[in-house]
Amino acid sequence: MQYLYDCINLIQKILYPPTCLLCGAPGSAGLDLCAGCAAEIPRPGPACRLCARPLPQPGICGACLRHPPPQERTVAPFPYAGAMRELITGLKFHRQLAHARLLGALLARELEGSTERPALILPVPLHPARLRERGFNQALEIGRPIGRLLQLPVDSGSCRRTRDTPHQMGLHERQRRRNVRGAFSVTGALSGRHVAILDDVVTTGSTAAELARALRRAGAARIEVWAVARTVER
Ligand SMILES: [Zn+2]
Ligand SMILES: [Zn+2]
């Protein structure tokens, strides 16, 4: 399956050179994004190392100092605004699957300098009912190009969403936390491993934190959370 996917990708690259997904102009820097639209993507700024909340300078935010999250690190560089928001909503709600490759490439570039690589990428699973409804898991679609670029395996089988949680939108942080409690089960052998949870957007971080707790119970040694974007206010 992966081989087939790689072949299709190669053929696509030969037949269709990089083209901006937002405006149709030729892509630049090997991305499906032109220089003009790339300039419209809000730049990453300093953030909390544990939860990715924006900070005036890199460090750990007050909330994480009071209640450390279950993960050791969160990388969610791009503010969920402007062209970044357009790319993510296009993927999630308008089935623009080509956006996943670009989003994955943008996050992979931010991660390239990381010294300690995880052993695997674990996209946040969707509940089977939600997967049927949407037809694809956006986190897995974004994870595939990241796995290829960083040469890391993408594990979509070790972890399940056992409870179909109502949409998180419009819920407060505490309600969100309650909403996802016990939503995941880990079946794969992840004991002692360094794992990177991958999601498209981090909002309050409650979904990723719940999955991180499940992974911790399953024995994972080090857990990071990766997301392309973080919401601006929370
Ligand atoms: Zn463009
Ligand atoms: Zn924090």
Side-chain angles (χ1 to χ4, degrees):
M1 196 60 202
Q2 186 62 45
Y3 175 70
L4 183 66
Y5 194 81
D6 287 344
C7 283
I8 291 169
N9 247 312
L10 186 66
I11 292 164
Q12 272 179 338
K13 239 183 232 166
I14 295 163
L15 293 179
Y16 311 102
T19 302
C20 182
L21 295 172
L22 292 172
C23 76
S28 93
L31 294 175
D32 292 321
L33 195 65
C34 73
C37 290
E40 311 237 316
I41 291 193
R43 291 307 307 154
C48 172
R49 187 158 48 85
L50 299 184
C51 76
R53 193 178 263 118
L55 286 178
Q57 56 221 352
I60 295 177
C61 76
C64 287
L65 285 174
R66 282 189 298 277
H67 302 287
Q71 71 272 13
E72 272 90 8
R73 178 165 99 124
T74 298
V75 179
F78 297 99
Y80 184 62
M84 181 47 73
R85 189 193 187 110
E86 213 175 304
L87 286 169
I88 292 176
T89 53
L91 168 63
K92 258 167 113 164
F93 304 115
H94 305 287
R95 310 178 64 87
Q96 299 293 318
L97 286 164
H99 290 195
R101 189 173 76 174
L102 173 58
L103 292 166
L106 289 170
L107 179 55
R109 286 182 180 201
E110 297 296 319
L111 289 161
E112 265 167 2
S114 297
T115 45
E116 214 190 321
R117 290 274 169 87
L120 53 98
I121 298 172
L122 209 151
V124 172
L126 286 181
H127 187 272
R130 189 84 66 206
L131 185 60
R132 267 198 303 278
E133 183 186 289
R134 186 170 286 165
F136 62 95
N137 176 356
Q138 71 277 6
L140 175 58
E141 296 303 322
I142 294 169
R144 283 193 180 116
I146 298 177
R148 268 198 305 278
L149 291 165
L150 301 182
Q151 301 186 320
L152 293 174
V154 178
D155 179 352
S156 59
S158 289
C159 189
R160 273 198 201 114
R161 195 149 184 154
T162 46
R163 211 151 54 73
D164 191 12
T165 52
H167 285 292
Q168 295 279 70
M169 241 175 257
L171 296 182
H172 293 298
E173 186 158 355
R174 185 171 302 181
Q175 293 171 308
R176 282 176 178 248
R177 224 179 304 142
R178 202 176 307 140
N179 195 23
V180 294
R181 197 167 291 162
F184 298 102
S185 81
V186 178
T187 50
L190 298 174
S191 185
R193 315 220 57 195
H194 178 180
V195 179
I197 295 171
L198 178 70
D199 211 350
D200 52 344
V201 185
V202 163
T203 304
T204 61
S206 50
T207 303
E210 186 61 28
L211 180 51
R213 276 187 281 272
L215 290 167
R216 190 71 78 198
R217 281 195 296 274
R222 185 176 160 81
I223 301 162
E224 302 189 29
V225 174
W226 294 353
V228 183
R230 55 173 159 72
T231 52
V232 183
E233 299 162 30
R234 45 178 160 140

